[in-house]
Amino acid sequence: AAARWALQRAQAALSAVATIGSTVLGAVAQSQAASAQAEAMRGAARVDQQKAEIDQQRAEAGQQQAAVEGAWNERRAQEERASAQRKADAREREGKLATSRLQAVAAASGSKATDPTVMELFGNIKKAADINAANETATGEQRAAGLSYDSGLKKWGADTNAWAADANAKTADTNARIK
C-alpha cells in the first residue's frame, strides 16, 4: 500500500511537472510568435519608410525638373514676345512702305498729298498697319502667357507632389516608431 501510495504521488508530481512544462513551452512559443510578429511589423515599417524616402526623392526630382522646364518655358516666352515685337515692327514698316508707295503713285498721277482720297487711303493704310502690328503683339503675348502658365502649373504640381511625399514620409516614420 505504501508503494502504491508512493507511485501515485510520483505520478501526480510527474503530471504536475508535465503541466508546468507544457505551460512554459506554450508561453515560450507565444512569446516567440509575438516577437516574430513584432519583427515582421518593424520590417514592414522599414519598407514603408524606404518607399516614402524613394517617393520623396522622386518628388524632389520632379521639382527640379519643373524648375528647369519652367526656366526653359520662361525663356521661350521671352523669345515669343521678342519675335512678336519684330513681326509687329515689320507690319509697321510695311504700312510705311505702302504709304510711301501711295504718295509716289499719287504724285506721279498728278494728285496732291492733301487730296481727300489720298488722305483717306493714307489713313486706311496706317490703320491696317497698326491693327496688324497689334495683332502680332497680342499673338506673341498670348503664346508667352500660355508658356508661363504651363510652367507655373507644372511647378505647382511638383510642389504638391513633394508636399504629399513629405507627409507620407512623416507618416511612415511615425508608424515605424510606434511599431
Side-chain angles (χ1 to χ4, degrees):
R4 191 181 255 210
W5 179 80
L7 182 62
Q8 286 175 345
R9 286 219 13 117
Q11 285 176 341
L14 190 58
S15 176
V17 168
T19 301
I20 292 171
S22 174
T23 302
V24 168
L25 284 176
V28 168
Q30 192 175 21
S31 174
Q32 287 176 343
S35 293
Q37 183 180 7
E39 184 57 35
M41 290 175 70
R42 283 191 294 275
R46 283 191 298 272
V47 168
D48 288 345
Q49 281 181 306
Q50 290 171 346
K51 286 180 183 177
E53 289 173 8
I54 290 169
D55 287 345
Q56 276 186 308
Q57 291 170 353
R58 284 182 181 152
E60 289 171 8
Q63 282 182 305
Q64 291 171 355
Q65 181 179 357
V68 168
E69 287 178 4
W72 181 252
N73 279 348
E74 287 303 320
R75 180 176 176 204
R76 287 178 47 208
Q78 290 175 349
E79 290 172 359
E80 285 291 341
R81 287 183 183 100
S83 174
Q85 185 59 51
R86 286 189 298 273
K87 288 178 182 177
D89 290 346
R91 297 297 168 258
E92 287 175 354
R93 268 192 311 279
E94 289 170 0
K96 288 177 183 177
L97 289 173
T99 56
S100 176
R101 173 95 172 119
L102 173 64
Q103 189 175 16
V105 169
S109 70
S111 297
K112 295 181 183 176
T114 57
D115 186 37
T117 304
V118 173
M119 292 301 290
E120 184 179 346
L121 290 173
F122 275 137
N124 290 344
I125 291 171
K126 173 76 171 118
K127 189 186 302 182
D130 289 346
I131 289 171
N132 290 340
N135 284 341
E136 291 292 349
T137 301
T139 299
E141 204 45 55
Q142 198 168 28
R143 283 190 205 124
L147 290 167
S148 294
Y149 176 79
D150 184 56
S151 70
L153 191 59
K154 285 180 180 177
K155 184 179 181 326
W156 178 81
D159 289 347
T160 301
N161 288 341
W163 178 84
D166 187 50
N168 288 341
K170 288 177 182 175
T171 300
D173 188 48
T174 301
N175 288 340
R177 290 175 191 211
I178 291 171
K179 294 174 182 176

